[in-house]
Amino acid sequence: MIEPPADEGSSGEQHARPLTPESIAVIMDGNGRWAESRGLPRARGHEEGAETLRRLTRHCVARGVRELTCYALSTENFRRRPPAEVADLMRLLQLYLDRNREELLELGVRVRFIGHREELPPEVRESMERVERESAAHDGLVLRLAINYGSRSELVEAARALARAVRSGELAPEEIDEERLAAHLHDPTMADPDLLIRTAGEERLSNFLLWQASYSELHFAPCLWPDFTPERLEEAIASYAARLRKYGAVRSSDPVPRPPVVDAEGR
Ligand code: FPP
């Protein structure tokens, strides 16, 4: 068998990743199908999806994952889904934030958002800003929710910001490099995901983190998002670790992989 070449960035350096993923991104797909297969309204699938997100967040905290970035709503979903479904999702997002705020704060989670929040209803924005503000000093898991997010438009905005800096004379075109562009993404503090998971059997990125996931390992899980248990996450992590062991690219300072940790709910 021919081994694939080691990943190389534009700088020619290896993109080494840790043997246990520190930064995980998830495309939470399949809520609608989960509900429809049970004869339930799609909104029930989204509710169940929110519960899955809660369980997975606890598991990631217990496991010591540093960042969990979840695609909750794409710009395309926001603009093209029936208005009633978008309204349901907005209500659910607010409910999720209001009901889970205390638990997230107790767990030491820092909550952040990427995407175009100015288009969201004001009451939803208020709930987002509250949890962001109250968790800002936390140093546990970063839970980052992508809401009304699209990666191409994020890159276009970064390009515009750089163009403005060049026009005003602050920056020379030759000074634009990967680091400067990344500094203009929605969350410049975000670590590139080591592992990107998509559920529900679809195998595409759907305009999610196109820049940040350039070197991520991809894992496509056949199950629908509401069925994605912590055990399924462990399978994804095990498959990531097996691939890395096979092809190298492990940072020398990395400890041996941590064993799965059972979360506070015994999952
Ligand atoms: C895609 O499944 C999922 C969404 C468009 C919404 C994701 C939302 C959640 C998981 C709810 C929890 C999150 C928050 C913070 C509110 P789909 O409905 O497109 O499924 P389908 O492809 O089977 O129709």
Side-chain angles (χ1 to χ4, degrees):
M1 192 180 120
I2 301 168
E3 294 223 337
D7 283 342
E8 294 208 347
S10 54
S11 59
E13 282 170 17
Q14 259 205 356
H15 280 255
R17 280 149 296 179
L19 204 41
T20 299
E22 291 169 358
S23 173
I24 299 178
V26 186
I27 302 177
M28 309 183 287
D29 197 8
N31 294 340
R33 273 165 280 176
W34 184 92
E36 281 159 12
S37 70
R38 288 164 173 76
L40 298 169
R42 290 174 62 83
R44 272 290 297 122
H46 294 314
E47 279 168 34
E48 205 58 35
E51 193 46 36
T52 299
L53 175 61
R54 184 181 153 262
R55 277 198 297 272
L56 263 289
T57 303
R58 293 181 68 88
H59 188 71
C60 285
V61 168
R63 210 187 193 290
V65 172
R66 292 201 187 144
E67 301 193 19
L68 176 66
T69 302
C70 295
Y71 209 2
L73 191 68
S74 70
T75 307
E76 290 73 25
N77 286 160
F78 187 75
R79 298 200 178 136
R80 297 199 201 127
R81 294 247 165 154
E85 185 171 348
V86 173
D88 279 343
L89 276 165
M90 288 296 108
R91 265 193 299 277
L92 179 64
L93 172 60
Q94 197 180 356
L95 205 64
Y96 163 85
L97 293 174
D98 294 345
R99 279 202 187 144
N100 292 295
R101 194 182 68 255
E102 281 187 15
E103 180 176 273
L104 290 168
L105 295 175
E106 272 164 27
L107 288 168
V109 172
R110 180 170 188 194
V111 183
R112 296 177 70 91
F113 299 93
I114 51 176
H116 288 281
R117 67 175 80 183
E118 66 285 354
E119 292 176 34
L120 306 180
E123 62 280 9
V124 175
R125 287 204 315 261
E126 269 168 37
S127 294
M128 290 164 68
E129 279 152 21
R130 179 169 181 195
V131 70
E132 223 171 16
R133 195 175 53 245
E134 292 179 359
S135 69
H138 289 177
D139 59 1
L141 173 79
V142 175
L143 172 64
R144 188 178 293 101
L145 298 178
I147 294 163
N148 194 17
Y149 171 83
S151 187
R152 285 187 174 182
S153 83
E154 181 186 35
L155 290 167
V156 167
E157 283 161 38
R160 283 192 192 135
L162 291 170
R164 279 194 293 272
V166 168
R167 190 177 55 190
S168 70
E170 279 167 63
L171 195 65
E174 308 70 49
E175 288 175 313
I176 296 175
D177 57 13
E178 293 184 10
E179 209 178 315
R180 279 211 160 84
L181 191 141
H184 290 281
L185 297 177
H186 288 182
D187 184 354
T189 69
M190 177 176 174
D192 288 348
D194 300 308
L195 170 65
L196 187 148
I197 299 167
R198 181 170 187 154
T199 58
E202 312 294 347
E203 301 193 353
R204 56 182 179 277
L205 292 180
S206 299
N207 204 15
F208 187 46
L209 305 179
L210 302 180
W211 175 277
Q212 299 89 334
S214 295
Y215 293 95
S216 303
E217 292 292 330
L218 307 181
H219 179 88
F220 300 107
C223 73
L224 304 173
W225 174 249
D227 297 325
F228 194 76
T229 56
E231 288 74 26
R232 299 278 97 80
L233 177 64
E234 287 306 325
E235 283 168 18
I237 291 175
S239 125
Y240 164 93
R243 278 186 256 169
L244 254 66
R245 270 195 217 97
K246 194 163 174 192
Y247 299 126
V250 177
R251 286 204 295 259
S252 57
S253 60
D254 279 328
V256 286
R258 283 164 287 201
V261 177
V262 174
D263 78 4
E265 295 174 352
R267 296 192 171 91

